[in-house]
Amino acid sequence: MVSALDRWRTVLPAGRVRTAPAELARAATATFGWPRRITAILAPDAPEQVREILRIAQATRHPVYPYSRGCNWGLGSRLPAADDCALLDLSGMNRILHHDAELGTLTVEPGVHFAQAAAYLKAQRSPFYCSVTGGPAYGSLIGNALERGGGDGPLGDRAAHMAALEVMLAGGEVIHTGFDRYAQAGTARLSRTGVGPSLTELMAQSSFGVVTRATIWLAQRPATWRLVIATVASTATLGPALDAVRQLVQSQVLYPNAVTLWNSYKMRARDGHFPWEQAPRLPLDIGATEGAEPWYVSVTVEGATERIVEALMAEVQRLLEPCSLALDVLRDSELTPAERAPLEPGNPTGANVFSAYWRKKGALPALEDLDPDRDRCGVIWLCPSLPLLGATAAPVLAEIERRVRQHGLEPNIGLNPTSPRLLDVYVALMVDLALPGEDERAMACHHAVMKWLISQGHLPYRLGVQSFGLLPPPVDDSAAVMVRLKRAFDPLDVVSPGRYAA
Ligand SMILES: Cc1cc2nc3c(=O)[nH]c(=O)nc-3n(C[C@H](O)[C@H](O)[C@H](O)COP(=O)(O)OP(=O)(O)OC[C@H]3O[C@@H](n4cnc5c(N)ncnc54)[C@H](O)[C@@H]3O)c2cc1C
């Protein structure tokens, strides 16, 4: 019988079915140890090839695991949820297909990355920018949005601002979501839902198909902006600041993603240098060594005119000042171009990736060469969501910090309100994988803290290969319905088996 690998070789250009052991070993390397057998790497460069790959996958029952750029660091990188998958590396499909410079859309293939999109929009002198994450500049617009990643600006809920997906299903069927399924639909790129049940949302955090094209909505560049940094004394006093943030979002002075809250450990990790001289015994205790362990609330205030921004600023100051030790304001008009550039919305510097090197000793790679998988950086993300209520969230954050410290790790925590109701929390567990036992310690911490959070009703909004198995069983019939949905899209379970619910 002809194997899947042999059949894939007949539909892909030469050299695009890769099975060299060294290459497979590299692809199976993540920022935590997670043994996984991978059969091959398939690297198509056109949608029609993806369709053929999927037909063969179903005919031979050989599962595939698609990724767009594979930078899902801290959540499994390129690792499938099951053994014996062929990786479907879509990074070679990297064309920007369309830009609407009046309505603010960008239609792309999965390999298009944040730096590429930003350079393209700049070259086009577009009045729009693409929301970028605090993660890798070479991450995928589509891959990140499909994971419901978080970015900057008013369209920072990236999955909520993606439309007109082209999705290839196991067996080779093709669907287009929203109005894009109708010939010459004038609003295909402009509506997520179209008319009737919407398939767009079903493709995020799922295993139903392979997305080969999507339209990403863009935000208009603000005419003027301020960056406000409020310093809050400690986790114990964070509650009032969270309530002030909620009021600012509820009253629409700020859009939800305009606010980011980082604790001292997250702020410190950004430069990638653990202060070894201050921490003879791990973990580093910033409160003990420096006498204080503040949180930093970063707020972007933007608008069409100076008068609008000044009015919004007055409200931001009125609500944040009483709960802050200090309030620093940066005005775009007072910054030099060099100071302004890294702060401009839609500029993917990738500089936060230095934080993955926090516990590594020795020289850091250059910014454009950061690769936490290759450099054995230990990173595991833990992503619970909480109600945006100070009295509820602050004690949970204090308890996460306590439990992470118990495992000998620094509690590196960031927060983003994603609506006037909801707070997304991201905890980074960082170690040096080159040191014996550290990987196991970080994973034990991840599992213990996540189980505690779930026991308290604080469920995660994003999972990685390390956490798909930790969700509790649902209390209703949804698990069976999910299985039926999965079968409708992928009857033989050959696309990303085991990922998220299905
Ligand atoms: C220091 C640091 C900071 C970070 N900051 C952020 C942040 O601010 N916001 C954030 O969201 N993330 C952040 N991350 C996490 C992660 O690095 C990013 O989300 C990154 O964009 C994900 O990698 P990617 O874009 O290459 O997606 P991929 O790895 O390509 O995709 C992620 C997953 O989505 C699925 N998928 C991808 N493409 C397809 C497709 N075409 N069809 C079907 N399924 C697909 C696959 O299961 C894949 O594994 C951070 C990571 C680090 C280490």
Side-chain angles (χ1 to χ4, degrees), residues 31 65-75 77-79 90 110 114 132-136 138-151 158 203 206 209-212 266 352-356 372 379 381 426 430 462 495-496 499-500:
T31 58
Y65 182 77
Y67 61 82
S68 292
R69 304 259 336 155
C71 305
N72 206 14
W73 296 324
L75 295 149
S77 304
R78 289 153 291 189
L79 293 180
L90 302 167
F114 292 105
V132 300
T133 78
Y138 301 103
S140 158
L141 270 57
I142 289 182
N144 178 268
L146 287 175
E147 274 290 271
R148 302 204 185 107
R158 303 202 59 264
M203 298 304 148
S206 85
V210 179
V211 177
T212 48
K266 188 161 182 67
N352 285 344
V353 177
F354 280 122
S355 67
V379 185
W381 288 109
Y426 32 99
M430 311 265 197
R462 185 168 171 180
V495 178
S496 304
R499 190 175 133 76
Y500 284 93

Side-chain angles (χ1 to χ4, degrees), residues 360-397:
K360 301 290 293 183
K361 289 184 176 160
L364 291 167
L367 178 60
E368 55 286 356
D369 189 37
L370 296 175
D371 183 345
D373 290 332
R374 177 199 63 202
D375 295 332
R376 307 201 66 198
C377 302
V379 185
I380 309 177
W381 288 109
L382 186 64
C383 305
S385 54
L386 299 175
L388 183 44
L389 290 171
T392 308
V396 175
L397 295 167

